[in-house]
PDB file of all heavy atoms in Angstrom:
ATOM      1  N   TYR A 342       7.254  -0.077  13.993  1.00 91.00           N
ATOM      2  CA  TYR A 342       6.038  -0.696  13.514  1.00 91.00           C
ATOM      3  C   TYR A 342       6.236  -1.509  12.167  1.00 91.00           C
ATOM      4  O   TYR A 342       5.546  -2.268  11.849  1.00 91.00           O
ATOM      5  CB  TYR A 342       4.948   0.429  13.219  1.00 91.00           C
ATOM      6  CG  TYR A 342       5.457   1.637  12.431  1.00 91.00           C
ATOM      7  CD1 TYR A 342       5.687   1.511  10.966  1.00 91.00           C
ATOM      8  CD2 TYR A 342       5.943   2.666  13.082  1.00 91.00           C
ATOM      9  CE1 TYR A 342       6.181   2.744  10.313  1.00 91.00           C
ATOM     10  CE2 TYR A 342       6.481   3.841  12.414  1.00 91.00           C
ATOM     11  CZ  TYR A 342       6.583   3.822  11.040  1.00 91.00           C
ATOM     12  OH  TYR A 342       7.116   4.895  10.332  1.00 91.00           O
ATOM     13  N   THR A 387      16.967  15.952  10.350  1.00 95.00           N
ATOM     14  CA  THR A 387      16.658  14.614   9.934  1.00 95.00           C
ATOM     15  C   THR A 387      15.382  14.416   9.972  1.00 95.00           C
ATOM     16  O   THR A 387      14.623  14.651  10.855  1.00 95.00           O
ATOM     17  CB  THR A 387      17.312  13.507  10.809  1.00 95.00           C
ATOM     18  OG1 THR A 387      18.784  13.716  10.854  1.00 95.00           O
ATOM     19  CG2 THR A 387      17.022  12.092  10.400  1.00 95.00           C
ATOM     20  N   VAL A 388      14.661  14.068   8.829  1.00 95.00           N
ATOM     21  CA  VAL A 388      13.199  13.965   8.704  1.00 95.00           C
ATOM     22  C   VAL A 388      12.747  12.562   8.447  1.00 95.00           C
ATOM     23  O   VAL A 388      13.284  11.838   7.510  1.00 95.00           O
ATOM     24  CB  VAL A 388      12.664  14.915   7.491  1.00 95.00           C
ATOM     25  CG1 VAL A 388      11.073  14.958   7.490  1.00 95.00           C
ATOM     26  CG2 VAL A 388      13.329  16.463   7.762  1.00 95.00           C
ATOM     27  N   ILE A 389      11.726  12.143   9.235  1.00 94.00           N
ATOM     28  CA  ILE A 389      11.098  10.958   8.954  1.00 94.00           C
ATOM     29  C   ILE A 389       9.967  11.261   7.939  1.00 94.00           C
ATOM     30  O   ILE A 389       8.844  11.785   8.275  1.00 94.00           O
ATOM     31  CB  ILE A 389      10.503  10.254  10.225  1.00 94.00           C
ATOM     32  CG1 ILE A 389      11.682  10.109  11.196  1.00 94.00           C
ATOM     33  CG2 ILE A 389       9.763   8.897   9.881  1.00 94.00           C
ATOM     34  CD1 ILE A 389      11.173   9.541  12.543  1.00 94.00           C
ATOM     35  N   ASP A 391       6.999  10.326   6.174  1.00 90.00           N
ATOM     36  CA  ASP A 391       5.948   9.334   6.311  1.00 90.00           C
ATOM     37  C   ASP A 391       4.547   9.897   5.875  1.00 90.00           C
ATOM     38  O   ASP A 391       3.604   9.654   6.619  1.00 90.00           O
ATOM     39  CB  ASP A 391       5.887   8.730   7.610  1.00 90.00           C
ATOM     40  CG  ASP A 391       5.245   7.287   7.675  1.00 90.00           C
ATOM     41  OD1 ASP A 391       4.937   6.867   6.543  1.00 90.00           O
ATOM     42  OD2 ASP A 391       5.111   6.743   8.803  1.00 90.00           O
ATOM     43  N   MET A 400      -0.858   6.701  12.432  1.00 94.00           N
ATOM     44  CA  MET A 400      -0.268   8.056  13.091  1.00 94.00           C
ATOM     45  C   MET A 400       0.111   7.815  14.489  1.00 94.00           C
ATOM     46  O   MET A 400       1.131   8.173  14.940  1.00 94.00           O
ATOM     47  CB  MET A 400      -1.579   8.990  13.055  1.00 94.00           C
ATOM     48  CG  MET A 400      -1.132  10.391  13.590  1.00 94.00           C
ATOM     49  SD  MET A 400      -0.219  11.309  12.186  1.00 94.00           S
ATOM     50  CE  MET A 400      -1.682  12.010  11.304  1.00 94.00           C
ATOM     51  N   ALA A 403       3.429   5.925  14.499  1.00 93.00           N
ATOM     52  CA  ALA A 403       4.549   6.872  14.169  1.00 93.00           C
ATOM     53  C   ALA A 403       4.829   7.712  15.278  1.00 93.00           C
ATOM     54  O   ALA A 403       6.112   7.935  15.599  1.00 93.00           O
ATOM     55  CB  ALA A 403       4.123   7.696  12.942  1.00 93.00           C
ATOM     56  N   LEU A 404       3.948   8.232  16.065  1.00 95.00           N
ATOM     57  CA  LEU A 404       4.212   8.891  17.237  1.00 95.00           C
ATOM     58  C   LEU A 404       5.008   8.141  18.314  1.00 95.00           C
ATOM     59  O   LEU A 404       5.945   8.598  19.028  1.00 95.00           O
ATOM     60  CB  LEU A 404       2.951   9.557  17.897  1.00 95.00           C
ATOM     61  CG  LEU A 404       2.414  10.748  17.133  1.00 95.00           C
ATOM     62  CD1 LEU A 404       0.913  10.968  17.587  1.00 95.00           C
ATOM     63  CD2 LEU A 404       3.202  11.903  17.297  1.00 95.00           C
ATOM     64  N   ILE A 407       8.731   7.774  17.074  1.00 95.00           N
ATOM     65  CA  ILE A 407       9.688   8.996  17.246  1.00 95.00           C
ATOM     66  C   ILE A 407       9.931   9.148  18.796  1.00 95.00           C
ATOM     67  O   ILE A 407      11.071   9.599  19.103  1.00 95.00           O
ATOM     68  CB  ILE A 407       9.065  10.153  16.669  1.00 95.00           C
ATOM     69  CG1 ILE A 407      10.228  11.281  16.449  1.00 95.00           C
ATOM     70  CG2 ILE A 407       7.791  10.665  17.289  1.00 95.00           C
ATOM     71  CD1 ILE A 407       9.907  12.486  15.809  1.00 95.00           C
ATOM     72  N   THR A 416      10.569  17.029  16.735  1.00 97.00           N
ATOM     73  CA  THR A 416       9.381  17.792  16.416  1.00 97.00           C
ATOM     74  C   THR A 416       8.408  16.867  15.485  1.00 97.00           C
ATOM     75  O   THR A 416       8.984  16.071  14.703  1.00 97.00           O
ATOM     76  CB  THR A 416       9.767  18.993  15.514  1.00 97.00           C
ATOM     77  OG1 THR A 416      10.550  19.861  16.227  1.00 97.00           O
ATOM     78  CG2 THR A 416       8.573  19.742  14.946  1.00 97.00           C
ATOM     79  N   ALA A 417       7.170  17.036  15.782  1.00 97.00           N
ATOM     80  CA  ALA A 417       6.114  16.299  14.998  1.00 97.00           C
ATOM     81  C   ALA A 417       5.284  17.235  14.137  1.00 97.00           C
ATOM     82  O   ALA A 417       4.815  18.249  14.923  1.00 97.00           O
ATOM     83  CB  ALA A 417       5.332  15.391  15.876  1.00 97.00           C
ATOM     84  N   ILE A 418       5.249  17.108  12.831  1.00 97.00           N
ATOM     85  CA  ILE A 418       4.298  17.886  12.149  1.00 97.00           C
ATOM     86  C   ILE A 418       3.277  17.001  11.455  1.00 97.00           C
ATOM     87  O   ILE A 418       3.608  16.284  10.653  1.00 97.00           O
ATOM     88  CB  ILE A 418       5.017  18.626  10.937  1.00 97.00           C
ATOM     89  CG1 ILE A 418       6.244  19.479  11.497  1.00 97.00           C
ATOM     90  CG2 ILE A 418       4.113  19.529  10.100  1.00 97.00           C
ATOM     91  CD1 ILE A 418       7.149  20.095  10.409  1.00 97.00           C
ATOM     92  N   LEU A 419       1.981  17.201  12.002  1.00 97.00           N
ATOM     93  CA  LEU A 419       0.993  16.232  11.684  1.00 97.00           C
ATOM     94  C   LEU A 419      -0.137  16.900  10.840  1.00 97.00           C
ATOM     95  O   LEU A 419      -0.719  17.928  11.319  1.00 97.00           O
ATOM     96  CB  LEU A 419       0.445  15.580  12.976  1.00 97.00           C
ATOM     97  CG  LEU A 419       1.465  15.041  13.913  1.00 97.00           C
ATOM     98  CD1 LEU A 419       0.819  14.559  15.156  1.00 97.00           C
ATOM     99  CD2 LEU A 419       2.227  13.884  13.297  1.00 97.00           C
ATOM    100  N   LEU A 445       7.571  15.426  23.134  1.00 95.00           N
ATOM    101  CA  LEU A 445       8.411  15.953  21.947  1.00 95.00           C
ATOM    102  C   LEU A 445       8.492  17.430  22.296  1.00 95.00           C
ATOM    103  O   LEU A 445       7.765  18.057  22.958  1.00 95.00           O
ATOM    104  CB  LEU A 445       7.614  15.725  20.544  1.00 95.00           C
ATOM    105  CG  LEU A 445       7.377  14.347  20.168  1.00 95.00           C
ATOM    106  CD1 LEU A 445       6.644  14.319  18.911  1.00 95.00           C
ATOM    107  CD2 LEU A 445       8.524  13.454  20.259  1.00 95.00           C
ATOM    108  N   LEU A 486      15.003  16.005  14.914  1.00 97.00           N
ATOM    109  CA  LEU A 486      14.482  14.861  14.324  1.00 97.00           C
ATOM    110  C   LEU A 486      12.989  15.284  14.123  1.00 97.00           C
ATOM    111  O   LEU A 486      12.184  15.490  15.117  1.00 97.00           O
ATOM    112  CB  LEU A 486      14.600  13.686  15.132  1.00 97.00           C
ATOM    113  CG  LEU A 486      13.931  12.354  14.625  1.00 97.00           C
ATOM    114  CD1 LEU A 486      14.548  11.935  13.336  1.00 97.00           C
ATOM    115  CD2 LEU A 486      13.968  11.227  15.673  1.00 97.00           C
ATOM    116  N   VAL A 487      12.557  15.256  12.787  1.00 97.00           N
ATOM    117  CA  VAL A 487      11.169  15.589  12.585  1.00 97.00           C
ATOM    118  C   VAL A 487      10.336  14.419  11.893  1.00 97.00           C
ATOM    119  O   VAL A 487      10.774  13.910  10.920  1.00 97.00           O
ATOM    120  CB  VAL A 487      11.228  16.873  11.448  1.00 97.00           C
ATOM    121  CG1 VAL A 487       9.789  17.467  11.204  1.00 97.00           C
ATOM    122  CG2 VAL A 487      12.149  17.987  12.029  1.00 97.00           C
ATOM    123  N   LEU A 488       9.202  14.273  12.492  1.00 96.00           N
ATOM    124  CA  LEU A 488       8.236  13.379  11.931  1.00 96.00           C
ATOM    125  C   LEU A 488       7.192  14.280  11.085  1.00 96.00           C
ATOM    126  O   LEU A 488       6.618  15.246  11.495  1.00 96.00           O
ATOM    127  CB  LEU A 488       7.448  12.601  13.047  1.00 96.00           C
ATOM    128  CG  LEU A 488       6.229  11.997  12.530  1.00 96.00           C
ATOM    129  CD1 LEU A 488       6.551  10.828  11.531  1.00 96.00           C
ATOM    130  CD2 LEU A 488       5.456  11.288  13.744  1.00 96.00           C
ATOM    131  N   LEU A 489       7.105  14.023   9.785  1.00 96.00           N
ATOM    132  CA  LEU A 489       6.254  14.599   8.843  1.00 96.00           C
ATOM    133  C   LEU A 489       5.163  13.628   8.369  1.00 96.00           C
ATOM    134  O   LEU A 489       5.606  12.804   7.592  1.00 96.00           O
ATOM    135  CB  LEU A 489       7.029  15.275   7.722  1.00 96.00           C
ATOM    136  CG  LEU A 489       6.276  16.277   6.770  1.00 96.00           C
ATOM    137  CD1 LEU A 489       5.660  17.425   7.392  1.00 96.00           C
ATOM    138  CD2 LEU A 489       7.239  16.656   5.647  1.00 96.00           C
ATOM    139  N   LYS A 490       3.960  13.726   8.889  1.00 95.00           N
ATOM    140  CA  LYS A 490       3.068  12.709   8.521  1.00 95.00           C
ATOM    141  C   LYS A 490       1.584  13.173   8.437  1.00 95.00           C
ATOM    142  O   LYS A 490       1.143  14.079   9.297  1.00 95.00           O
ATOM    143  CB  LYS A 490       2.948  11.583   9.663  1.00 95.00           C
ATOM    144  CG  LYS A 490       2.167  10.365   9.257  1.00 95.00           C
ATOM    145  CD  LYS A 490       2.388   9.211  10.125  1.00 95.00           C
ATOM    146  CE  LYS A 490       1.459   7.935   9.748  1.00 95.00           C
ATOM    147  NZ  LYS A 490       1.776   7.472   8.407  1.00 95.00           N
TER     148      LYS A 490
END
Side-chain angles (χ1 to χ4, degrees):
Y342 48 84
T387 299
V388 183
I389 302 173
D391 200 6
M400 191 77 87
L404 284 167
I407 192 173
T416 297
I418 302 176
L419 308 177
L445 303 183
L486 175 64
V487 182
L488 169 64
L489 187 59
K490 186 167 181 64

